[in-house]
Amino acid sequence: MTPHVTRHGAAVTRPQREVLNGHKGLVLWFTGLSGAGKSTIAHAVEQRLHEMGCRTFVFDGDNVRHGLCSDLGFSPQDRTENIRRIGEMVRLFIDAGIIALTAFISPYRADREKLRRLTADGDFIEIYCRCPVEVCERRDVKGLYRLARANEIQDFTGVSAPYEEPESPDLILDTHVSSLHECVENVVSLLRHRGVIRDRT
Ligand code: ADP
């Protein structure tokens, strides 16, 4: 706790912002191996929601690591700190009534569970992009698996660092089986089912 720092109350409340936006604020937290489809799906879902008139924002792993978390590496401690900082930022976006979408490997179950506890009930929607490591490796979108196998990258999730699967995620997307379109529809259906969004046609 930081001494001599007092929180200010907001003159405009989260419920008021949500009324203005026409939907709840929350985070769609995509987790999974590198190449499992987190970024691709998060951006496609964002586009869909944007077209429906929702206020959205995507936080992408690489972008955050170039800025807010540029001082962090890939040790277990740094990975935990990376997710903690992102979690704090995402909470502000939720308070702003935004639908935040995040695409981080976030390999540790404990870190993801901490985020769930930090946020109010229903604000943290954990979406597991499930894909066998062999398929991710074949996709090798950024050429990182090849480097990891050649030992040119250390502590690479799925190769030389662990990934802890979610035990009870809100949604599982099998990206080696379902098409991108199906994955997007599954996310949108879940949001409709939970009353987060309504069609405005
Ligand atoms: P991540 O963000 O998890 O590292 P990316 O989204 O960068 O993964 O890459 C996933 C790759 O897999 C992309 O090249 C994408 O076109 C491909 N892909 C194939 N099927 C799917 C699917 N159903 N959902 C998402 N991506 C898919």
Side-chain angles (χ1 to χ4, degrees), residues 2-199:
T2 315
H4 315 305
V5 177
T6 314
R7 282 179 194 271
H8 276 277
V12 179
T13 64
R14 173 176 166 185
Q16 288 170 321
R17 293 178 210 279
E18 291 180 337
V19 168
L20 188 67
N21 291 348
H23 58 78
K24 256 179 64 61
L26 49 72
V27 61
L28 302 177
W29 188 277
F30 294 86
T31 175
L33 294 173
S34 178
K38 304 179 295 297
S39 282
T40 306
I41 299 170
H43 285 284
V45 170
E46 175 177 49
Q47 193 173 3
R48 195 60 212 287
L49 294 176
H50 183 80
E51 284 162 7
M52 293 166 78
C54 300
R55 296 186 201 274
T56 56
F57 195 78
V58 175
F59 294 89
D60 206 300
D62 292 338
N63 301 349
V64 170
R65 278 192 175 274
H66 282 301
L68 179 71
C69 299
S70 60
D71 57 322
L72 300 177
F74 291 86
S75 69
Q77 295 79 0
D78 279 8
R79 285 178 189 260
T80 292
E81 175 60 11
N82 186 42
I83 298 306
R84 188 194 70 79
R85 285 186 201 173
I86 293 156
E88 289 297 334
M89 196 164 54
V90 159
R91 279 174 69 190
L92 297 176
F93 273 68
I94 296 175
D95 271 348
I98 307 285
I99 299 180
L101 304 94
T102 66
F104 302 95
I105 297 174
S106 44
Y108 302 135
R109 202 174 286 137
D111 292 345
R112 297 189 305 262
E113 285 311 311
K114 217 180 284 168
L115 293 177
R116 192 185 287 280
R117 285 196 303 274
L118 258 179
T119 47
D121 237 12
D123 284 358
F124 178 83
I125 297 189
E126 187 179 31
I127 302 174
Y128 178 25
C129 295
R130 186 165 63 181
C131 187
V133 68
E134 304 77 47
V135 177
C136 295
E137 192 160 356
R138 255 199 317 276
R139 290 176 179 167
D140 209 3
V141 188
K142 300 173 202 150
L144 298 178
Y145 281 92
R146 193 182 57 74
L147 292 175
R149 291 288 176 204
N151 244 337
E152 285 176 46
I153 301 179
Q154 273 78 49
D155 304 323
F156 192 75
T157 305
V159 175
S160 44
Y163 177 78
E164 297 172 357
E165 293 195 306
E167 272 165 355
S168 46
D170 296 274
L171 186 65
I172 297 178
L173 303 173
D174 284 307
T175 67
H176 63 304
V177 179
S178 309
S179 68
L180 174 59
H181 179 76
E182 286 166 339
C183 292
V184 171
E185 287 314 303
N186 286 347
V187 176
V188 172
S189 300
L190 177 72
L191 294 180
R192 280 212 187 91
H193 180 72
R194 298 221 177 153
V196 175
I197 52 169
R198 275 177 224 96
D199 281 325

